[in-house]
């Protein structure tokens, strides 16, 4: 049955039916997926707040001037904004390197902490880079620790037992990622956005992310920001109930999604990771070199050839997604809690992703 027919059916858990459709179908049957590189139909141009971000601040974050961005909305999804790759040439490499080399470091938290001693997860990059660099094309080769990474949390760390954030489980949020997020939020009309929590997701071709809503943040008036790098994916955006069929769309390397207003609390999922549509090992935007002239105060750093070689090898079969959110409104505090230390983690690493062996997946969060 075609995706369009499944959409028309509606009824109980229409979202799940379409999730399974896109999870299992081969890559040749993706006619119902919205492609923002060729917008039309329910896609329309969105206005950005160009004056809210100076060209200098955009450059410092590794972004083109906001006046050069293209932004789109979707009919029926007020508050949803899609920005196809607004990064300057070479600047995506910085964020990939940070997600693989720096952000997984302690005191940040990752899925490997659930079943490995702390000393074993202190330097995932150092333990994995030689294995990754030498890696061939055989899928039977053992995966490095970096390839076993599924998620990393930053800032306020989500408690998977209570499904809450708390004041006493917090580590410093990366300043470079906070600056990037603030510029993107301001360009979308959310000046004063504070990046307080982040979840980094690491996908492979056999990965997916289950159907869920992000509602644990105490301030829902602030947007959810999503940044993607590496291979492409299908993203499903649904409604307030799982009975509502979702809209499928492609996300490519460098693309940014903003979920705000009505769209902030909608069901969403990633049923599938896809090879880059250009047919090359890496998207061309990741092969672009970074300018030798970086503006004063830039948060972007040059990557060594050695570091990028490791990152590029990783991305040949992987996708990285960063989701950034503001947890508390200005001046807001966490409610008093009893009986928890705020440090509960996910019950298992696969509670976050589905893989090719997974069966029924419970709703979870980005």
């Amino acid at each position: 049955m075609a995706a369009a027919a499944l959409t028309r059916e509606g009824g109980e858990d229409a979202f799940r039916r379409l999730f399974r459709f896109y999870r299992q179908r081969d890559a040749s049957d993706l006619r119902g997926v919205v492609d923002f590189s060729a917008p039309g139909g329910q896609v329309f141009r969105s206005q950005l707040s160009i004056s809210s971000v100076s060209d200098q601040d955009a450059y410092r974050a590794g972004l083109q001037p906001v006046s050069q961005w293209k932004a789109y909305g979707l009919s029926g999804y007020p508050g949803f904004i899609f920005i196809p790759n607004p990064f300057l040439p070479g600047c995506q490499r910085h964020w990939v390197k940070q997600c693989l080399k720096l952000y997984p470091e302690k005191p940040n938290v990752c899925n490997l902490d659930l079943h490995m001693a702390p000393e074993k997860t202190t330097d995932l990059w150092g333990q994995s880079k030689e294995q990754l660099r030498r890696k061939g094309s055989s899928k039977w080769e053992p995966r490095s620790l970096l390839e076993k990474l599924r998620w990393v949390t930053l800032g306020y760390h989500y408690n998977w037992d209570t499904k809450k954030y708390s004041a006493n489980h917090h580590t410093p949020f990366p300043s470079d990622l906070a600056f990037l997020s603030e510029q993107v939020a301001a360009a979308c009309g959310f000046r004063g956005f504070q990046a307080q929590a982040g979840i980094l997701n690491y996908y492979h071709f056999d990965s997916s992310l289950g159907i869920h809503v992000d509602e644990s943040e105490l301030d829902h008036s602030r947007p959810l920001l999503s940044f993607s790098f590496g291979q492409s994916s299908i993203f499903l955006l649904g409604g307030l109930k799982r009975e509502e069929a979702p809209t499928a769309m492609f996300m490519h390397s460098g693309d940014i999604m903003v979920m705000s207003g009505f769209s902030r609390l909608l069901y969403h999922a990633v049923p599938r990771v896809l090879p880059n549509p250009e047919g090359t090992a890496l998207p061309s935007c990741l092969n672009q070199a970074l300018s030798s002239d970086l503006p004063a105060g830039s948060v972007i750093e040059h990557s060594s050839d050695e570091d990028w070689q490791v990152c590029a090898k990783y991305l040949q079969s992987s996708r990285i997604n960063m989701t950034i959110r503001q947890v508390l409104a200005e001046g807001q505090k966490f409610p008093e809690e009893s009986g928890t230390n705020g440090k509960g983690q996910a019950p298992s690493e696969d509670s976050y992703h589905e893989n090719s062996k997974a069966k029924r997946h419970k709703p979870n969060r980005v």
Side-chain angles (χ1 to χ4, degrees):
M1 187 180 297
L6 286 170
T7 300
R8 286 193 298 270
E9 270 192 17
E12 184 179 357
D13 207 351
F15 200 128
R16 168 58 58 178
R17 285 202 302 275
L18 273 171
F19 182 95
R20 286 177 172 166
F21 175 87
Y22 286 114
R23 181 81 180 102
Q24 297 171 4
R25 287 277 172 165
D26 63 34
S28 63
D29 189 10
L30 300 176
R31 291 165 292 179
V33 184
V34 173
D35 188 346
F36 288 95
S37 65
Q42 69 185 112
V43 176
F44 59 88
R45 285 295 293 266
S46 283
Q47 296 300 311
L48 294 169
S49 182
I50 295 173
S51 62
S52 294
V53 180
S54 68
D55 289 357
Q56 184 69 8
D57 280 344
Y59 290 143
R60 288 176 58 209
L63 299 164
Q64 301 174 30
V66 178
S67 59
Q68 296 180 22
W69 298 8
K70 293 179 179 177
Y72 301 97
L74 281 173
S75 298
Y77 296 95
F80 176 79
I81 304 170
F82 192 102
I83 305 168
N85 184 15
F87 289 93
L88 289 167
C91 288
Q92 288 187 52
R93 292 186 175 191
H94 169 84
W95 303 109
V96 171
K97 183 191 72 173
Q98 297 296 78
C99 287
L100 291 174
K101 185 176 183 179
L102 182 66
Y103 297 157
E105 291 183 348
K106 296 292 167 279
N108 298 328
V109 182
C110 73
N111 63 290
L112 298 179
D113 297 324
L114 304 178
H115 51 81
M116 295 179 68
E119 61 270 17
K120 298 289 188 181
T121 62
T122 54
D123 185 17
L124 301 181
W125 176 266
Q127 295 183 68
S128 304
K129 60 182 181 180
E130 287 305 321
Q131 186 178 350
L132 266 172
R133 190 181 290 114
R134 294 192 306 267
K135 200 169 184 68
S137 57
S138 171
K139 64 181 179 181
W140 304 113
E141 292 184 58
R143 283 186 169 181
S144 65
L145 286 179
L146 271 182
E147 292 171 293
K148 294 178 181 179
L149 199 60
R150 295 297 186 94
W151 52 261
V152 169
T153 54
L154 310 171
Y156 287 113
H157 299 281
Y158 188 66
N159 185 316
W160 302 95
D161 298 325
T162 64
K163 299 190 171 17
K164 295 178 181 179
Y165 299 95
S166 65
N168 61 354
H169 196 203
H170 174 269
T171 56
F173 194 92
S175 59
D176 57 348
L177 184 51
F179 186 76
L180 169 70
S181 303
E182 289 160 9
Q183 308 319 307
V184 171
C188 294
F190 296 95
R191 298 186 74 166
F193 175 84
Q194 299 176 49
Q196 296 175 335
I199 298 179
L200 316 179
N201 277 317
Y202 302 81
Y203 298 85
H204 306 294
F205 284 133
D206 61 351
S207 303
S208 60
L209 184 69
I211 305 164
H212 65 284
V213 176
D214 292 290
E215 58 186 359
S216 296
E217 295 73 32
L218 275 65
D219 181 12
H220 294 155
S221 69
R222 304 271 90 182
L224 177 73
L225 310 180
S226 171
F227 303 85
S228 288
F229 305 106
Q231 301 299 322
S232 300
S233 71
I234 295 175
F235 179 80
L236 299 179
L237 182 62
L240 294 170
K241 299 179 180 179
R242 288 172 57 130
E243 288 80 5
E244 299 176 55
T247 296
M249 62 197 80
F250 290 114
M251 288 196 74
H252 303 304
S253 192
D255 290 349
I256 300 174
M257 285 192 322
V258 178
M259 295 171 66
S260 68
F262 172 79
S263 293
R264 176 64 176 77
L265 296 174
L266 299 182
Y267 279 100
H268 52 281
V270 177
R272 189 146 138 229
V273 177
L274 299 166
N276 140 53
E278 296 170 315
T280 52
L282 288 182
S284 56
C285 58
L286 288 170
N287 290 322
Q288 297 172 311
L290 184 63
S291 168
S292 56
D293 264 345
L294 293 173
S298 175
V299 301
I300 302 298
E301 299 172 344
H302 286 276
S303 298
S304 69
D305 290 342
E306 179 185 10
D307 281 357
W308 180 245
Q309 184 182 18
V310 176
C311 293
K313 181 68 91 170
Y314 176 90
L315 288 182
Q316 286 180 10
S317 60
S318 305
R319 167 183 179 255
I320 298 172
N321 178 256
M322 311 187 300
T323 60
I324 314 302
R325 66 279 316 276
Q326 179 170 334
V327 177
L328 300 167
E330 186 74 35
Q332 188 177 20
K333 294 183 179 180
F334 289 102
E336 290 292 330
E337 293 184 34
S338 60
T340 176
N341 64 3
K343 295 189 178 182
Q345 294 304 314
S348 73
E349 65 175 301
D350 283 333
S351 68
Y352 217 67
H353 286 267
E354 293 187 32
N355 57 38
S356 57
K357 297 178 182 177
K359 295 181 180 179
R360 186 79 178 176
H361 184 71
K362 296 178 181 179
N364 230 317
R365 61 198 317 277
V366 162

